[in-house]
Amino acid sequence: MSESLPVRCPACRRSHRFTAPAYPCACGAPVAAPLDPDRVPAAVGHRSWREEWVTVRCGGCGTRGEWPQPELGCPCGTVLRIPVTGERAGAPAAEEPRRPAVPSVPIRTARDAVTAAVLYLRRLGHDGIRRADQRPASGIGLAGRDVLAQLDPSARPATPRDVECLWLTAMTESATCLYLSLTGYTEEAVARADALDVPLFVLEPSGAARPENAPAVALDADAS
């Protein structure tokens, strides 16, 4: 069960009850960051990629992973970063083997979309996901060992040029690639991705990644 503790906003002094969100590990066990009741939450000002994640150990399989830093949005407009302790084991291991659940988080903001994309990349077996060194012409670049992903949160469908740019960048870095879009793809983009063997996914509002072409179906099946 996720931890819960009282939180007071330093800006308006309003009291809240915050419960740490739990995310499914690749093994299927829920993992929640350990909240530190002895430290005071701080208002989020400047954001950095490093501060967006905390390291938590899953009690189900022992894997240490990077998970979203707990945050609370106060009605006054202040966003609070909730302090966490060191690592923490998640839920106890199941007595019987179970099929891993597909990690996902509901998408309400661009940050949620990044979190959902990172969770899915972990589900595919990629760890150490970070911002890509080379920023794509559109969207957000995510990179891990031997993998490059492009997340497109825009309201327009991705085009053949978007797919080709991702494929070319991945080729120069000797990495595999995949494309995740919130809106979808034009027919021409799907045809181009099929020709280049680039997996295309659509991130649904639930945070689940839906395969949109044959390479994506095959990749998703291999990870199940």
Side-chain angles (χ1 to χ4, degrees), residues 212-224:
E212 286 294 295
N213 66 346
V217 170
L219 184 61
D220 187 72
D222 289 340
S224 298

mmCIF file with all atom_site columns, all heavy atoms in Angstrom, residues 212-224:
data_model
loop_
_atom_site.group_PDB
_atom_site.id
_atom_site.type_symbol
_atom_site.label_atom_id
_atom_site.label_alt_id
_atom_site.label_comp_id
_atom_site.label_asym_id
_atom_site.label_entity_id
_atom_site.label_seq_id
_atom_site.pdbx_PDB_ins_code
_atom_site.Cartn_x
_atom_site.Cartn_y
_atom_site.Cartn_z
_atom_site.occupancy
_atom_site.B_iso_or_equiv
_atom_site.pdbx_formal_charge
_atom_site.auth_seq_id
_atom_site.auth_comp_id
_atom_site.auth_asym_id
_atom_site.auth_atom_id
_atom_site.pdbx_PDB_model_num
ATOM 1  N N   . GLU A 1 212 ? 0.910  0.630   -33.899 1.00 0.00 ? 212 GLU A N   1
ATOM 2  C CA  . GLU A 1 212 ? 0.223  1.182   -35.069 1.00 0.00 ? 212 GLU A CA  1
ATOM 3  C C   . GLU A 1 212 ? 0.696  0.583   -36.380 1.00 0.00 ? 212 GLU A C   1
ATOM 4  O O   . GLU A 1 212 ? 0.118  0.869   -37.421 1.00 0.00 ? 212 GLU A O   1
ATOM 5  C CB  . GLU A 1 212 ? 0.389  2.709   -35.113 1.00 0.00 ? 212 GLU A CB  1
ATOM 6  C CG  . GLU A 1 212 ? -0.437 3.456   -34.091 1.00 0.00 ? 212 GLU A CG  1
ATOM 7  C CD  . GLU A 1 212 ? -1.932 3.326   -34.359 1.00 0.00 ? 212 GLU A CD  1
ATOM 8  O OE1 . GLU A 1 212 ? -2.407 3.823   -35.397 1.00 0.00 ? 212 GLU A OE1 1
ATOM 9  O OE2 . GLU A 1 212 ? -2.628 2.706   -33.534 1.00 0.00 ? 212 GLU A OE2 1
ATOM 10 N N   . ASN A 1 213 ? 1.756  -0.217  -36.369 1.00 0.00 ? 213 ASN A N   1
ATOM 11 C CA  . ASN A 1 213 ? 2.203  -0.876  -37.587 1.00 0.00 ? 213 ASN A CA  1
ATOM 12 C C   . ASN A 1 213 ? 2.828  -2.221  -37.235 1.00 0.00 ? 213 ASN A C   1
ATOM 13 O O   . ASN A 1 213 ? 2.977  -2.563  -36.049 1.00 0.00 ? 213 ASN A O   1
ATOM 14 C CB  . ASN A 1 213 ? 3.174  0.007   -38.390 1.00 0.00 ? 213 ASN A CB  1
ATOM 15 C CG  . ASN A 1 213 ? 4.482  0.253   -37.659 1.00 0.00 ? 213 ASN A CG  1
ATOM 16 O OD1 . ASN A 1 213 ? 4.610  0.007   -36.464 1.00 0.00 ? 213 ASN A OD1 1
ATOM 17 N ND2 . ASN A 1 213 ? 5.470  0.765   -38.379 1.00 0.00 ? 213 ASN A ND2 1
ATOM 18 N N   . ALA A 1 214 ? 3.166  -3.000  -38.248 1.00 0.00 ? 214 ALA A N   1
ATOM 19 C CA  . ALA A 1 214 ? 3.654  -4.364  -38.028 1.00 0.00 ? 214 ALA A CA  1
ATOM 20 C C   . ALA A 1 214 ? 4.928  -4.410  -37.168 1.00 0.00 ? 214 ALA A C   1
ATOM 21 O O   . ALA A 1 214 ? 5.025  -5.248  -36.267 1.00 0.00 ? 214 ALA A O   1
ATOM 22 C CB  . ALA A 1 214 ? 3.887  -5.058  -39.368 1.00 0.00 ? 214 ALA A CB  1
ATOM 23 N N   . PRO A 1 215 ? 5.931  -3.549  -37.404 1.00 0.00 ? 215 PRO A N   1
ATOM 24 C CA  . PRO A 1 215 ? 7.118  -3.579  -36.542 1.00 0.00 ? 215 PRO A CA  1
ATOM 25 C C   . PRO A 1 215 ? 6.783  -3.331  -35.077 1.00 0.00 ? 215 PRO A C   1
ATOM 26 O O   . PRO A 1 215 ? 7.395  -3.925  -34.178 1.00 0.00 ? 215 PRO A O   1
ATOM 27 C CB  . PRO A 1 215 ? 8.004  -2.469  -37.120 1.00 0.00 ? 215 PRO A CB  1
ATOM 28 C CG  . PRO A 1 215 ? 7.593  -2.368  -38.552 1.00 0.00 ? 215 PRO A CG  1
ATOM 29 C CD  . PRO A 1 215 ? 6.119  -2.610  -38.547 1.00 0.00 ? 215 PRO A CD  1
ATOM 30 N N   . ALA A 1 216 ? 5.807  -2.448  -34.819 1.00 0.00 ? 216 ALA A N   1
ATOM 31 C CA  . ALA A 1 216 ? 5.425  -2.177  -33.438 1.00 0.00 ? 216 ALA A CA  1
ATOM 32 C C   . ALA A 1 216 ? 4.713  -3.363  -32.818 1.00 0.00 ? 216 ALA A C   1
ATOM 33 O O   . ALA A 1 216 ? 4.918  -3.692  -31.644 1.00 0.00 ? 216 ALA A O   1
ATOM 34 C CB  . ALA A 1 216 ? 4.528  -0.936  -33.379 1.00 0.00 ? 216 ALA A CB  1
ATOM 35 N N   . VAL A 1 217 ? 3.851  -4.030  -33.596 1.00 0.00 ? 217 VAL A N   1
ATOM 36 C CA  . VAL A 1 217 ? 3.149  -5.220  -33.101 1.00 0.00 ? 217 VAL A CA  1
ATOM 37 C C   . VAL A 1 217 ? 4.165  -6.299  -32.709 1.00 0.00 ? 217 VAL A C   1
ATOM 38 O O   . VAL A 1 217 ? 4.042  -6.929  -31.652 1.00 0.00 ? 217 VAL A O   1
ATOM 39 C CB  . VAL A 1 217 ? 2.176  -5.756  -34.164 1.00 0.00 ? 217 VAL A CB  1
ATOM 40 C CG1 . VAL A 1 217 ? 1.630  -7.120  -33.751 1.00 0.00 ? 217 VAL A CG1 1
ATOM 41 C CG2 . VAL A 1 217 ? 1.039  -4.778  -34.377 1.00 0.00 ? 217 VAL A CG2 1
ATOM 42 N N   . ALA A 1 218 ? 5.166  -6.503  -33.539 1.00 0.00 ? 218 ALA A N   1
ATOM 43 C CA  . ALA A 1 218 ? 6.180  -7.511  -33.266 1.00 0.00 ? 218 ALA A CA  1
ATOM 44 C C   . ALA A 1 218 ? 6.998  -7.152  -32.030 1.00 0.00 ? 218 ALA A C   1
ATOM 45 O O   . ALA A 1 218 ? 7.286  -8.005  -31.192 1.00 0.00 ? 218 ALA A O   1
ATOM 46 C CB  . ALA A 1 218 ? 7.098  -7.670  -34.472 1.00 0.00 ? 218 ALA A CB  1
ATOM 47 N N   . LEU A 1 219 ? 7.358  -5.879  -31.907 1.00 0.00 ? 219 LEU A N   1
ATOM 48 C CA  . LEU A 1 219 ? 8.147  -5.435  -30.742 1.00 0.00 ? 219 LEU A CA  1
ATOM 49 C C   . LEU A 1 219 ? 7.350  -5.590  -29.468 1.00 0.00 ? 219 LEU A C   1
ATOM 50 O O   . LEU A 1 219 ? 7.864  -6.055  -28.450 1.00 0.00 ? 219 LEU A O   1
ATOM 51 C CB  . LEU A 1 219 ? 8.552  -3.983  -30.952 1.00 0.00 ? 219 LEU A CB  1
ATOM 52 C CG  . LEU A 1 219 ? 9.470  -3.355  -29.872 1.00 0.00 ? 219 LEU A CG  1
ATOM 53 C CD1 . LEU A 1 219 ? 10.780 -4.116  -29.801 1.00 0.00 ? 219 LEU A CD1 1
ATOM 54 C CD2 . LEU A 1 219 ? 9.709  -1.887  -30.175 1.00 0.00 ? 219 LEU A CD2 1
ATOM 55 N N   . ASP A 1 220 ? 6.077  -5.211  -29.517 1.00 0.00 ? 220 ASP A N   1
ATOM 56 C CA  . ASP A 1 220 ? 5.221  -5.308  -28.333 1.00 0.00 ? 220 ASP A CA  1
ATOM 57 C C   . ASP A 1 220 ? 5.024  -6.770  -27.934 1.00 0.00 ? 220 ASP A C   1
ATOM 58 O O   . ASP A 1 220 ? 5.008  -7.103  -26.749 1.00 0.00 ? 220 ASP A O   1
ATOM 59 C CB  . ASP A 1 220 ? 3.881  -4.641  -28.612 1.00 0.00 ? 220 ASP A CB  1
ATOM 60 C CG  . ASP A 1 220 ? 3.006  -4.557  -27.366 1.00 0.00 ? 220 ASP A CG  1
ATOM 61 O OD1 . ASP A 1 220 ? 3.320  -3.762  -26.468 1.00 0.00 ? 220 ASP A OD1 1
ATOM 62 O OD2 . ASP A 1 220 ? 1.993  -5.291  -27.307 1.00 0.00 ? 220 ASP A OD2 1
ATOM 63 N N   . ALA A 1 221 ? 4.875  -7.641  -28.911 1.00 0.00 ? 221 ALA A N   1
ATOM 64 C CA  . ALA A 1 221 ? 4.665  -9.068  -28.628 1.00 0.00 ? 221 ALA A CA  1
ATOM 65 C C   . ALA A 1 221 ? 5.908  -9.678  -27.977 1.00 0.00 ? 221 ALA A C   1
ATOM 66 O O   . ALA A 1 221 ? 5.808  -10.524 -27.078 1.00 0.00 ? 221 ALA A O   1
ATOM 67 C CB  . ALA A 1 221 ? 4.335  -9.816  -29.902 1.00 0.00 ? 221 ALA A CB  1
ATOM 68 N N   . ASP A 1 222 ? 7.088  -9.277  -28.435 1.00 0.00 ? 222 ASP A N   1
ATOM 69 C CA  . ASP A 1 222 ? 8.335  -9.801  -27.875 1.00 0.00 ? 222 ASP A CA  1
ATOM 70 C C   . ASP A 1 222 ? 8.502  -9.421  -26.403 1.00 0.00 ? 222 ASP A C   1
ATOM 71 O O   . ASP A 1 222 ? 9.139  -10.141 -25.631 1.00 0.00 ? 222 ASP A O   1
ATOM 72 C CB  . ASP A 1 222 ? 9.547  -9.296  -28.653 1.00 0.00 ? 222 ASP A CB  1
ATOM 73 C CG  . ASP A 1 222 ? 9.644  -9.931  -30.038 1.00 0.00 ? 222 ASP A CG  1
ATOM 74 O OD1 . ASP A 1 222 ? 9.021  -10.994 -30.229 1.00 0.00 ? 222 ASP A OD1 1
ATOM 75 O OD2 . ASP A 1 222 ? 10.339 -9.368  -30.897 1.00 0.00 ? 222 ASP A OD2 1
ATOM 76 N N   . ALA A 1 223 ? 7.918  -8.276  -26.013 1.00 0.00 ? 223 ALA A N   1
ATOM 77 C CA  . ALA A 1 223 ? 8.062  -7.798  -24.639 1.00 0.00 ? 223 ALA A CA  1
ATOM 78 C C   . ALA A 1 223 ? 7.005  -8.355  -23.708 1.00 0.00 ? 223 ALA A C   1
ATOM 79 O O   . ALA A 1 223 ? 7.073  -8.165  -22.510 1.00 0.00 ? 223 ALA A O   1
ATOM 80 C CB  . ALA A 1 223 ? 7.990  -6.271  -24.619 1.00 0.00 ? 223 ALA A CB  1
ATOM 81 N N   . SER A 1 224 ? 5.983  -9.019  -24.247 1.00 0.00 ? 224 SER A N   1
ATOM 82 C CA  . SER A 1 224 ? 4.877  -9.513  -23.414 1.00 0.00 ? 224 SER A CA  1
ATOM 83 C C   . SER A 1 224 ? 5.292  -10.758 -22.636 1.00 0.00 ? 224 SER A C   1
ATOM 84 O O   . SER A 1 224 ? 6.152  -11.499 -23.048 1.00 0.00 ? 224 SER A O   1
ATOM 85 C CB  . SER A 1 224 ? 3.678  -9.843  -24.287 1.00 0.00 ? 224 SER A CB  1
ATOM 86 O OG  . SER A 1 224 ? 3.222  -8.681  -24.937 1.00 0.00 ? 224 SER A OG  1
#
